[in-house]
Amino acid sequence: MKRLITAALLIALARPAALSAMQVPVGGGGAAKDSLDRSPHAEHTILANGARLSVLDWGGKGALLVFMPGYGDSAHIFDDLAPAFRDHLHVVGLTPRGFPPSSAPDSGYTIAQLAEDVAAVMDSLGARTAILAGHSISGAVITQFGATHPERLTAAIYLDAAFDFGPAFRRSHRPGRRCLADPRIPAA
C-alpha cells in the first residue's frame, strides 16, 4: 500500500501541467468551472467540536485517504491530485476551521484541536483508520493525531510539511537564542 501511495504521488506530481490543464465537468454535466471546482466530488459539512467543517469527497473504494491543506488554503488545493487515488482509496479533503467554507469559531485553533477535528471527520465517515496527507502546518496536525490516536493512523504523508511544533521546536526558538544558520541575525 505504501508503494502504491508513493508511486501515485510521484506520477501525479510529475505531470502538474497536464493535471492543471484538465477540464472536468462538475455538478452533473455542463462546462467546468474555472474557480474552485475542478474535479468531480461531493461536499459535506460536518459539525464537530464547535465548528462546521467542510469536507470534499472525491469518492473511491478502499481505505480512507484524508488530504489536509496548508495554512490559508481549502481542500480544493487537491482538486487536481485527489482523483488519481480513487481506484484504490476513498479520498476526501478537509478544510480546517477558520478557512472558508469551514466556519471560523472564536476558539479551537490549537494543533491538538485540529487533530481532534480530523478524528471527528473520520468518525462521521465511519472510518476507524485513515491515511493522512498534509501540506505545511497540516504536517504538525498529522504528527499530533498520530501521537493522540496511533491506532487510527495507517500512514502519514508529509507534503512539504511541518513535522512538529512540540518542546524541541519551542526550545530552539527561545528568546535570546541566536540563529545557528546565520550568526549575523541577532538574538530575539
Side-chain angles (χ1 to χ4, degrees):
M1 180 63 83
K2 289 180 185 177
R3 286 184 184 167
L4 169 69
I5 293 167
T6 303
L9 273 173
L10 290 174
I11 291 167
L13 294 174
R15 299 181 296 146
L19 287 172
S20 64
M22 289 192 316
Q23 292 294 308
V24 180
V26 176
K33 294 180 184 176
D34 290 330
S35 60
L36 293 178
D37 294 326
R38 294 188 304 264
S39 63
H41 61 273
E43 295 185 41
H44 309 288
T45 299
I46 295 166
L47 300 176
N49 308 313
R52 284 184 331 277
L53 303 174
S54 175
V55 177
L56 302 183
D57 190 336
W58 287 279
K61 56 186 178 188
L64 182 65
L65 169 59
V66 181
F67 279 109
M68 300 181 303
Y71 186 80
D73 281 320
S74 76
H76 282 287
I77 197 78
F78 299 108
D79 276 348
D80 294 332
L81 179 62
F85 298 91
R86 289 185 299 194
D87 288 345
H88 301 282
L89 301 166
H90 177 190
V91 185
V92 301
L94 166 62
T95 298
R97 61 178 59 221
F99 300 101
S102 290
S103 68
D106 291 336
S107 63
Y109 296 94
T110 65
I111 297 297
Q113 182 58 66
L114 296 173
E116 290 309 310
D117 289 350
V118 173
V121 167
M122 290 171 58
D123 291 343
S124 76
L125 296 170
R128 178 82 184 111
T129 62
I131 301 162
L132 302 181
H135 174 250
S136 188
I137 189 84
S138 289
V141 176
I142 293 171
T143 301
Q144 178 66 39
F145 183 88
T148 309
H149 304 284
E151 72 287 354
R152 299 193 73 183
L153 183 62
T154 303
I157 303 169
Y158 295 84
L159 303 170
D160 194 21
F163 176 71
D164 186 14
F165 291 110
F169 176 84
R170 288 190 295 277
R171 278 193 306 275
S172 71
H173 289 80
R174 286 191 311 251
R177 186 162 180 127
R178 288 193 154 313
C179 176
L180 297 178
D182 188 346
R184 297 171 294 171
I185 297 174

